[in-house]
């Protein structure tokens, strides 16, 4: 299957959670066209010596009318669409998606007292914490085996742990301010969907927040919360922090996995032979094949639908539909890493 790299770069900017890096667009009637700029300041990446690096700015311009790549730069380096795809995909899982996992931790409660009164919530909390441990702590240990199998280069096993360095950078970099993202509603199916869903989710959550006990009481005062997102936490009340963490850990996290699976149809589109960014493409292929799509055969219930949880049941009933061309209609349906989407 051939890849239209210019269209794929536009898709990864517009139809993933990294759409929050939208900065501005050209004025109406501009001779340049209807161009949107996506800016990634202090951009973490891994070079072809498997060394962790941070660029001052990764900038991508997308034509909103044609939904195609226009140009991109990594500091002073001009990039083509094929190179840009590698960087966008790497940022998705190594710097952007990890934020969603970190924020989800604020909305969990693993206390055994919930086992009888709110079992689905407690189960989802346990799964969330455990999977975050697997992803952050255990993932790096797989590189030795993958290197022996020829899937990745030996440099990924370095004691400096370049991928974990990228994870840490992504988490500590905070969430890009993105109030202007509403300008993308008419150009991004993802943004249009999330804007509608967040309003519904917020209204329903206020009615059922008592069903999420013990999830925010100490989080807003804890030291690590300030370290991870200190520029945002100061303005959040306990209730707002809880709402944000549950929304991110369920809705956005689920969508991110599903859209990553939909958008990058072939992992071989990531060029492992690229002279500058091929090492990131290696890990990008592994992530796409082994860590994006839903996992079959789980022995516990993992979806909103059928959970019996009053809030989740009501919020699903009011969700707008998210469709993709040539695919069926889906609804939000989960609350952990195993949170993907489910057929109506």
């Amino acid at each position: 299957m051939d890849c239209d790299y210019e269209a794929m770069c536009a898709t990864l900017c517009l139809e993933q959670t990294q759409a929050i890096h939208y900065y501005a667009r050209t004025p109406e009637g501009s001779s340049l066209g209807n161009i949107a700029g996506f800016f990634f300041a202090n951009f973490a990446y891994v070079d072809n010596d498997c060394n962790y690096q941070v660029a001052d700015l990764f900038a991508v311009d997308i034509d909103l009318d044609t939904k195609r790549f226009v140009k991109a730069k990594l500091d002073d380096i001009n990039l083509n669409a094929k190179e840009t795809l590698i960087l966008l995909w790497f940022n998705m899982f190594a710097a952007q998606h990890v934020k969603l996992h970190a924020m989800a931790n604020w909305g969990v409660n693993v206390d055994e007292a919930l086992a009888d009164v709110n079992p689905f919530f407690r189960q989802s909390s346990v799964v969330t914490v455990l999977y975050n441990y697997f992803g952050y702590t255990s993932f790096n240990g797989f590189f030795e085996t993958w290197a022996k199998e020829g899937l990745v280069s030996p440099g990924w096993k370095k004691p400096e742990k370049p991928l974990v360095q990228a994870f840490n950078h992504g988490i500590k970099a905070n969430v890009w301010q993105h109030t202007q993202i509403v300008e993308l509603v008419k150009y991004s199916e993802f943004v249009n969907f999330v804007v509608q869903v967040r309003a519904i989710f917020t209204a329903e959550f206020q009615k059922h927040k008592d069903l999420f006990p013990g999830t925010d009481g100490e989080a807003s005062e804890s030291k690590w919360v300030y370290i991870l997102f200190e520029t945002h936490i100061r303005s959040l009340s306990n209730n707002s922090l809880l709402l944000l963490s549950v929304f991110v850990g369920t809705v956005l996290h689920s969508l991110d996995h599903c859209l990553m699976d939909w958008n990058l149809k072939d992992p071989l589109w990531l060029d492992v032979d690229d002279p500058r960014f091929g090492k990131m493409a290696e890990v990008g292929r592994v992530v796409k094949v082994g860590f994006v799509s839903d996992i079959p055969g789980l022995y516990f219930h993992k979806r909103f639908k059928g959970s019996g949880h009053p809030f989740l049941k009501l919020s699903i009933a009011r969700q707008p539909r998210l469709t993709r061309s040539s695919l069926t209609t889906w609804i939000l349906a989960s609350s952990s890493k195993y949170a993907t989407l489910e057929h109506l």
Side-chain angles (χ1 to χ4, degrees):
M1 182 187 302
D2 293 332
C3 178
D4 184 340
Y5 285 97
E6 293 183 353
M8 183 54 53
C9 288
T11 297
L12 291 190
C13 285
L14 291 168
E15 306 295 346
Q16 298 278 176
T17 59
Q18 64 187 359
I20 64 172
H21 285 272
Y22 166 70
Y23 185 74
R25 52 188 284 205
T26 52
E28 186 174 353
S30 170
S31 61
L32 297 175
N34 190 12
I35 310 300
F38 293 81
F39 294 172
F40 303 79
N42 299 315
F43 183 79
Y45 69 101
V46 176
D47 65 23
N48 264 15
D49 293 319
C50 285
N51 292 322
Y52 162 73
Q53 306 284 356
V54 178
D56 290 333
L57 181 66
F58 173 44
V60 183
D61 285 0
I62 300 296
D63 189 313
L64 293 175
D65 293 333
T66 64
K67 304 287 182 72
R68 298 186 69 81
F69 168 90
V70 177
K71 64 181 180 179
K73 292 185 75 172
L74 184 69
D75 286 341
D76 296 326
I77 303 172
N78 290 311
L79 306 172
N80 60 38
K82 198 171 186 179
E83 294 169 321
T84 302
L85 174 62
I86 296 173
L87 292 175
L88 287 171
W89 184 256
F90 183 79
N91 181 73
M92 267 307 307
F93 69 83
Q96 172 64 22
H97 191 74
V98 294
K99 292 180 173 68
L100 310 185
H101 279 260
M103 294 177 77
N105 276 332
W106 307 343
V108 302
N109 187 342
V110 299
D111 196 289
E112 292 183 1
L114 287 180
D116 294 326
V117 296
N118 206 336
F120 182 73
F121 177 37
R122 181 177 184 274
Q123 172 190 279
S124 298
S125 296
V126 171
V127 171
T128 296
V129 173
L130 184 60
Y131 194 84
N132 283 344
Y133 169 78
F134 289 155
Y136 182 84
T137 302
S138 301
F139 188 93
N140 201 76
F142 297 138
F143 280 129
E144 183 170 357
T145 298
W146 291 337
K148 289 178 181 178
E149 294 172 344
L151 297 175
V152 301
S153 298
W156 285 105
K157 303 185 299 178
K158 286 181 175 182
E160 294 84 0
K161 300 181 179 179
L163 184 59
V164 175
Q165 288 179 295
F167 287 167
N168 289 338
H169 181 94
I171 295 170
K172 294 178 180 179
N174 301 324
V175 177
W176 183 268
Q177 190 278 337
H178 55 280
T179 54
Q180 69 276 20
I181 199 170
V182 294
E183 296 176 12
L184 296 181
V185 163
K186 64 183 292 187
Y187 304 104
S188 166
E189 189 174 3
F190 164 73
V191 174
N192 181 53
F193 180 77
V194 170
V195 167
Q196 295 179 70
V197 167
R198 181 158 186 176
I200 297 169
F201 191 98
T202 300
E204 293 297 333
F205 188 86
Q206 297 305 325
K207 302 174 187 176
H208 298 91
K209 59 186 178 182
D210 58 313
L211 296 176
F212 298 86
T215 54
D216 67 325
E218 297 180 0
S220 59
E221 300 299 328
S222 66
K223 180 179 180 181
W224 63 271
V225 167
Y226 283 101
I227 291 174
L228 296 182
F229 294 97
E230 61 181 342
T231 61
H232 297 273
I233 292 303
R234 292 182 185 132
S235 62
L236 292 178
S237 65
N238 282 359
N239 182 59
S240 297
L241 178 58
L242 173 57
L243 170 61
L244 177 65
S245 62
V246 175
F247 182 77
V248 168
T250 58
V251 177
L252 294 185
H253 179 265
S254 304
L255 283 172
D256 222 28
H257 270 272
C258 189
L259 291 172
M260 288 171 76
D261 203 24
W262 282 351
N263 293 339
L264 190 72
K265 295 178 174 63
D266 190 341
L268 299 183
W269 291 347
L270 300 168
D271 183 10
V272 297
D273 296 318
D274 185 271
R276 285 191 286 215
F277 309 125
K279 296 298 188 290
M280 287 186 290
E282 294 174 351
V283 178
R285 287 182 175 185
V286 171
V287 168
K288 161 61 180 176
V289 171
F291 298 90
V292 169
S293 60
D294 204 9
I295 299 174
L298 295 176
Y299 61 87
F300 54 86
H301 188 81
K302 61 184 183 298
R303 303 190 186 279
F304 279 12
K305 189 175 182 179
S307 69
H309 197 285
F311 165 67
L312 305 182
K313 180 180 179 180
L314 286 171
S315 61
I316 282 208
R318 297 186 58 196
Q319 301 297 348
R321 293 185 174 186
L322 173 65
T323 61
R324 297 285 284 177
S325 57
S326 76
L327 291 175
T328 55
T329 302
W330 303 68
I331 58 173
L332 295 171
S334 187
S335 66
S336 66
K337 180 269 168 189
Y338 304 110
T340 60
L341 300 177
E342 182 179 51
H343 288 289
L344 279 169

